[in-house]
Amino acid sequence: MSTGKKTPPRPSEEEGVVLTPEQLRRRRARNIAIASVLGFLAVLFYVVTIVKLGPNVLNRPL
């Protein structure tokens, strides 16, 4: 049972898009910015959760 779909051949690395050093630098800066924001949000959610639970969360019966 063939669906008749054929995938086009993938281009080799030589035929792909080659980024300039400036584009690579901007991509790296953008990736660092995104990673920083995600890390900040993770820490913010953790801190907000701890604050909302309050200090008595440790004084519970086990």
Side-chain angles (χ1 to χ4, degrees), residues 18-58:
V18 178
L19 298 177
T20 64
E22 176 67 18
Q23 290 171 324
L24 290 172
R25 186 183 66 76
R26 287 184 181 202
R27 176 191 279 180
R28 178 164 172 76
R30 188 169 48 245
N31 288 343
I32 290 173
I34 291 171
S36 299
V37 169
L38 285 174
F40 173 76
L41 283 175
V43 170
L44 179 67
F45 292 156
Y46 179 77
V47 169
V48 168
T49 301
I50 296 300
V51 168
K52 287 183 75 126
L53 288 175
N56 290 331
V57 74
L58 298 177

